[in-house]
Structure formats: structure tokens, C-alpha cells
Amino acid sequence: MTHVPRLFVPAITPFHADLTLDLPRLVAFGRHLIAEGADGLAPFGTTSEAASLSVDERMRGLEALIAGGVAPERLIPGTGCAALPDTIRLTTHARALGVRGVLMLPPFYYKPLSSEGLFASYARVVEAVGLGLRIYLYHIPQMTGVPITADLIGRLDAAFPGVIAGLKDSSGNWDNTAALIAAFPHLEFYSASEALLPRNVAAGGAGCISATANVNPAGIAALIRALGTGAEAQALARAEAARSAFEKLPLIPAVKAVVALQMGDPGFAHVRPPLIAPPPPLEAAIKEAAALCNGVHALV
Amino acid sequence: MTHVPRLFVPAITPFHADLTLDLPRLVAFGRHLIAEGADGLAPFGTTSEAASLSVDERMRGLEALIAGGVAPERLIPGTGCAALPDTIRLTTHARALGVRGVLMLPPFYYKPLSSEGLFASYARVVEAVGLGLRIYLYHIPQMTGVPITADLIGRLDAAFPGVIAGLKDSSGNWDNTAALIAAFPHLEFYSASEALLPRNVAAGGAGCISATANVNPAGIAALIRALGTGAEAQALARAEAARSAFEKLPLIPAVKAVVALQMGDPGFAHVRPPLIAPPPPLEAAIKEAAALCNGVHALV
């Protein structure tokens, strides 16, 4: 099956200086990302510091994005929590708002987990939330310690036809993504890096959900448009150059710091513990990253 | 400093058949553990499936235990969550109820974390909760991926004198516990296994908080009484025998299954996904574990 390649941005979550949720900046930034060419948002994921948000904050944030004009069909909010009742509550809420799907982490405290235990956990959510649910599984073992295996995908897809919409592979392991695309061609597989976009789409994948899309949405959207054309190599090189500026930086705090520079608004830079602001010696590298992203943007 | 050695039980959390929280059984079991000789409870920790409970469930559970007659000064509830606002809410609630202290996991999604980030996270909680807070840090890197280091303990203890009450070392690494006891003799260090109790107490530790205390509270209380007497070796051997029956079993589901057998009430056995009930082939081993624990109890 061929999927239309798409960019969903795992949008950062702005905080006020007192670290409470900053809904106006969240909405403004979400609209900005769509205006820049993103197909949609995957808010409340890892880059969004969702694990540092309460269930109520996540629900209020999603409601604000939709009320602020981001169409629900453009949204794949993260709803997977450590605790099953939290996952059910968030998923029921997101489903009722008509989102395209939800990006669902596995429960990420207990480990190692059996395939049966993970299946039971996802099955409980599907049974509780009911009809019309579309789940994108979220494979990010470096954070969760709980991998999503092909065996689990197959079992869930067989038990709940049409419910499993796809998977975001944040492992960074292209061989894993390629094997999953080949095994489940009817599902949408997203890479977590724009550097993998050409390989992802050529293999039958569905696009990317990348942290650095927060700071280079137009460049990545341009890369998607250029796929399979003579402009692909140059668009890829530019996107990779912008991305590479973050390689030696603490990713989420640096992305927020660069967003703050790009938006001309230091209010975007606050992070919530356990993340902390980049220390002053990194200031020059952050300015350089912003300049690189802006340079790509100017060429789009 | 010498600490009076104590047993706090990381009490299981009973669920109804539909997996909702079973408050009557939670209270009955908490009272049973105290009656059997436990000094107190450390509910809503790992063995309690706390990571699978919502914040509201944890608060209702703690309120029920206290309303049901478990004295607050005997309680060290777990209050550490992935999300800072959840940790602050639970800790504020527990503090207001007058508990002995709280057992606080580090935020356990993002990793690796800097010492600065972890310090910032705990500092925010201390600042938000205020006077009279006593925190037991919870070191269980096999679940969290976020170790509590001596450096972090020292920084927190220096910044917030009197707030850091101690630490539960669930790493199973005795050398780590011994080094921490030596470095911070004024703090209470608990081992996560009764097998380490004699070493813990001899080195200046404060006792144990062990999963298998759910099924052998009287035997472990007897071991504490026997420490330093001629009866120590035998009491230790008995407690170790009971504990060893769980070595090849899925720990939490097996503990709950044995509690169900001991209480004569299958209602204690339910686990919430991602944990699952022990598969039928393990039934014999679970009965054997129950028999071993009951045998120790008969000798106390």
C-alpha cells in the first residue's frame, strides 16, 4: 500500500516562567507549524515533555489547540501513560474530540514486560475507548525500556482490525522500521528523523514525526515535496544540516531555545524539570543552530 | 547514628475483578500487616502497582488506609511520578495527612538525566510542599533508568536540611547501600530484601521494605527481633527460604496470588495490566510458596 508521505510535528509544550502550562503560546505555535507546511501535529509526545504533564494539563492543551483552530484531523496527540486509567482517560478524551489518531506509548514503568502483558494493556484501552479509535503505537525503547515488537503489532492488528493505524519508530534503527513496513504494508510507519524520510517513503512508509520539525517545519515539508524529484538530494542535505546542529545539544531544551529565538519570544524556552535550560556555555551553539534552521527556511 | 530497625511493607494494591481499586481489601490487608508485626506500610510503591494507578486512586487509597485505622505515622506512601505536578499533588496530599514520610521515585521517563535536572525536580517538590516534608528517595534503576546517586543525596541534604529522611535501595546492590550508609549516617537506608537485613542493620541501616513482606510479615518481624541474638541465623534462614520460593516467579503477580491463598480470598489476586496473572503452569509453584511462607509463620 502506498501512503501519502506526511510530516507531523511533535510540538513543544510552552510553559510560563512559573512552569505552568502556557496555552496561548501552545496554540500560537501549533498554528505557526501548520502555516509553515506541516501536515499536522503529534503533540504531547516526548519532545512535548508530555511525561512531565498531568492528565488534566494534556486534556486542556488538546482542547486549546482545537479551539484555537488546529483541525482535529490534523492531530495525533500522545495519550500513553504509565497508568492504564490515565491512558484510557486521555484516549477517550482525544477520541471524542475527533482526532486523526492517538500516539500511544506502552506503559513504561514495569520492565521487562511480557508480550501478553503489553497486549492486555493495549486491549483494555481499545475495549474501554470503543469504536473509531485509531492507535499509532509509539516505539521509543531508549525512554520506555519497553519495545513494541512485530509480534505485538501483529497480535493487536489481528485482534482489533482497523484500530492499529501505524507506529512511530523513535529507535533510530532503520532496519527495524524497514522490517515493520515490509511486514505490515497496510499500516503507517513514521520515522523520528527527517534524515530517514527518503528511505522511509521509498520503502512504503508514511513520513516522519521529528523533534527538529519544531525548528525546521518548512524545510522538512519542502523535502517531502521534493521526494523523487531532482531536488531531493539538495532538500535532504539542507534538512540534515539543520538537524545536525542539534547533535551535541540537549535536544528538547535546545529545540525550545531555538524556537524562542525564531519566534522572537523568550517565553518559548522554559522547560519543566527534570529537563533544564541549556547551560550558558551552549548559547553560541544554540544561536548557530537557529541560524542554520533560518538559513534553510530562507531557501524554501 | 543508630536507627531502630524497622519493617515497612510495600503493600499490594487489591483490585476488584473489573480492575477498579478495591478499598475494603486494601484497608483489611493493611491492618492485617500491622497486626502481623510490621512497623508500618510503604504503600503505593513498585509492588503496589502504583505506576498503574491514577493520582486520584492513590489519594483515595491513602485516605482509606488512614480512615481504616492505619496510623499516619506508620505510613510512607509512594508519591513520585513521571510528571512533576502529579508528584507535587500526591506529596502535598500525603504531607497534609501527617504521614511519617513519602517514598519518592525520581521522574522516570526522560533519560539519561543530569544530576542538575534531578536536583531541580526534587527541589521543585520541596519548595511546593513546604515545611515538615520528609522524603525517602527511591533508588530502583532497573525500573526507572534513573539512579539516585550519592552526589544527588548530598546536594539535596545540604540544600534542604532535615527534608531528606533516607532512601530505599531496590538495586539489590549491597555495596551501594553500604557506601550510602557510610556516607550519610544520619539518614535511614532501607534494603529491599529481608536477606540483606542483618547486613543492613549491622552497618547502621534502618531495616527493610521488601515485596515478600506481604506474604511473610511475621517472619521478617521475627528476624528483626532476633538480630544480634543467638536466634538470628535461624530466623534469617527461614525468611530466606520463604523469599526464595518467589525467585523463579513473576514477583508481583505471585505475591498477590500467595496473599489470596493466605487470606483465603481469591479477590486479592487480581493484577492490573501491564502485569498479568501467573499462567496456570505456575500454580504448583505458587502453592509451594504459600506453604513455605505459612510454615515460617507457624514457627514465629
Side-chain angles (χ1 to χ4, degrees):
Chain A
M1 190 181 293
T2 305
H3 303 282
V4 177
R6 288 188 171 91
L7 166 64
F8 288 92
V9 186
I12 56 156
T13 303
F15 297 111
H16 295 291
D18 67 359
L19 300 191
T20 56
L21 191 60
D22 185 341
L23 292 176
R25 281 191 178 86
L26 177 71
V27 172
F29 190 60
R31 292 173 60 106
H32 157 83
L33 291 167
I34 301 288
E36 287 288 299
D39 297 288
L41 310 180
F44 313 116
T46 302
T47 309
S48 323
E49 298 172 80
S52 300
L53 304 177
S54 70
V55 167
D56 283 338
E57 286 176 325
R58 291 164 75 151
M59 295 199 301
R60 284 193 288 125
L62 183 62
E63 290 163 13
L65 282 169
I66 293 171
V70 180
E73 55 268 31
R74 288 185 185 273
L75 288 166
I76 307 178
T79 62
C81 301
L84 185 62
D86 292 347
T87 302
I88 290 175
R89 194 161 157 234
L90 282 175
T91 307
T92 302
H93 174 260
R95 169 73 198 90
L97 290 173
V99 297
R100 173 183 172 89
V102 299
L103 184 57
M104 200 180 290
L105 284 170
F108 53 84
Y109 182 74
Y110 292 101
K111 53 198 71 114
L113 284 181
S114 67
S115 188
E116 285 71 25
L118 268 178
F119 178 86
S121 183
Y122 279 109
R124 283 266 166 184
V125 178
V126 175
E127 286 156 9
V129 177
L131 287 179
L133 177 61
R134 295 181 83 236
I135 297 176
Y136 294 87
L137 301 164
Y138 192 175
H139 177 59
I140 182 165
Q142 65 272 39
M143 294 297 173
T144 61
V146 178
I148 307 290
T149 62
D151 170 66
L152 178 68
I153 299 169
R155 289 176 64 173
L156 287 169
D157 193 36
F160 305 107
V163 171
I164 303 303
L167 177 141
K168 177 184 178 189
D169 188 351
S170 289
S171 69
N173 177 348
W174 167 248
D175 292 342
N176 182 61
T177 316
L180 293 178
I181 292 172
F184 306 99
H186 59 296
L187 302 184
E188 300 167 28
F189 289 92
Y190 294 90
S191 290
S193 166
E194 54 275 31
L196 294 172
L197 247 179
R199 276 190 275 181
N200 173 294
V201 173
C208 85
I209 303 177
S210 162
T212 42
N214 279 284
V215 291
N216 188 27
I220 300 174
L223 171 57
I224 289 179
R225 287 194 303 274
L227 289 173
T229 76
E232 177 180 315
Q234 191 177 49
L236 177 62
R238 286 171 180 164
E240 282 184 327
R243 181 179 176 84
S244 69
F246 291 86
E247 269 168 16
K248 288 180 180 162
L249 291 170
L251 183 62
I252 300 168
V255 163
K256 292 184 98 168
V258 170
V259 167
L261 289 171
Q262 291 180 314
M263 304 291 282
D265 177 357
F268 280 100
H270 305 297
V271 294
R272 191 178 265 185
L275 302 188
I276 51 172
L282 296 182
E283 226 168 79
I286 283 167
K287 280 186 183 152
E288 193 186 325
L292 265 165
C293 293
N294 295 343
V296 172
H297 188 269
L299 294 168
V300 169
Chain B
M1 188 183 293
T2 305
H3 302 283
V4 177
R6 288 189 172 89
L7 166 64
F8 288 92
V9 186
I12 56 156
T13 302
F15 297 111
H16 294 292
D18 66 0
L19 299 191
T20 55
L21 191 60
D22 185 342
L23 293 176
R25 281 192 179 86
L26 176 71
V27 172
F29 190 61
R31 294 173 59 107
H32 156 84
L33 291 167
I34 301 289
E36 288 289 297
D39 296 289
L41 310 180
F44 312 117
T46 302
T47 308
S48 323
E49 298 170 82
S52 300
L53 303 177
S54 71
V55 167
D56 283 338
E57 287 177 323
R58 291 164 75 151
M59 296 199 302
R60 283 194 287 126
L62 184 61
E63 290 163 12
L65 283 170
I66 293 171
V70 180
E73 56 267 28
R74 288 185 185 272
L75 288 166
I76 307 177
T79 62
C81 301
L84 185 61
D86 291 347
T87 301
I88 290 174
R89 195 161 157 233
L90 282 175
T91 307
T92 303
H93 174 260
R95 169 73 197 89
L97 290 173
V99 297
R100 173 183 172 88
V102 298
L103 184 56
M104 200 180 291
L105 284 171
F108 53 85
Y109 182 74
Y110 293 101
K111 55 199 69 117
L113 284 181
S114 66
S115 189
E116 286 70 26
L118 267 179
F119 178 85
S121 183
Y122 279 108
R124 283 266 166 184
V125 178
V126 174
E127 287 155 7
V129 178
L131 286 178
L133 177 61
R134 296 181 82 234
I135 297 176
Y136 293 87
L137 301 165
Y138 192 176
H139 176 60
I140 182 165
Q142 65 272 39
M143 294 296 172
T144 61
V146 179
I148 307 291
T149 63
D151 171 65
L152 178 67
I153 299 168
R155 290 175 64 173
L156 287 169
D157 192 38
F160 306 107
V163 170
I164 304 304
L167 176 141
K168 176 183 179 189
D169 187 351
S170 290
S171 69
N173 177 348
W174 167 248
D175 290 344
N176 183 62
T177 316
L180 293 177
I181 293 172
F184 306 100
H186 58 297
L187 303 183
E188 301 167 28
F189 289 91
Y190 294 90
S191 290
S193 166
E194 54 274 32
L196 294 172
L197 247 178
R199 276 190 274 181
N200 174 294
V201 173
C208 86
I209 304 177
S210 163
T212 41
N214 280 285
V215 290
N216 188 27
I220 301 173
L223 170 58
I224 290 180
R225 287 194 303 274
L227 289 172
T229 75
E232 177 181 314
Q234 191 177 50
L236 177 61
R238 286 173 181 164
E240 283 183 326
R243 181 179 176 83
S244 69
F246 292 85
E247 268 168 18
K248 288 179 182 165
L249 292 170
L251 183 62
I252 300 168
V255 163
K256 292 185 97 167
V258 170
V259 167
L261 290 173
Q262 291 180 315
M263 304 292 282
D265 178 355
F268 280 100
H270 304 295
V271 294
R272 190 178 266 184
L275 302 187
I276 51 172
L282 296 181
E283 228 170 78
I286 284 168
K287 282 187 183 152
E288 192 186 326
L292 264 165
C293 293
N294 294 343
V296 172
H297 189 269
L299 295 168
V300 169

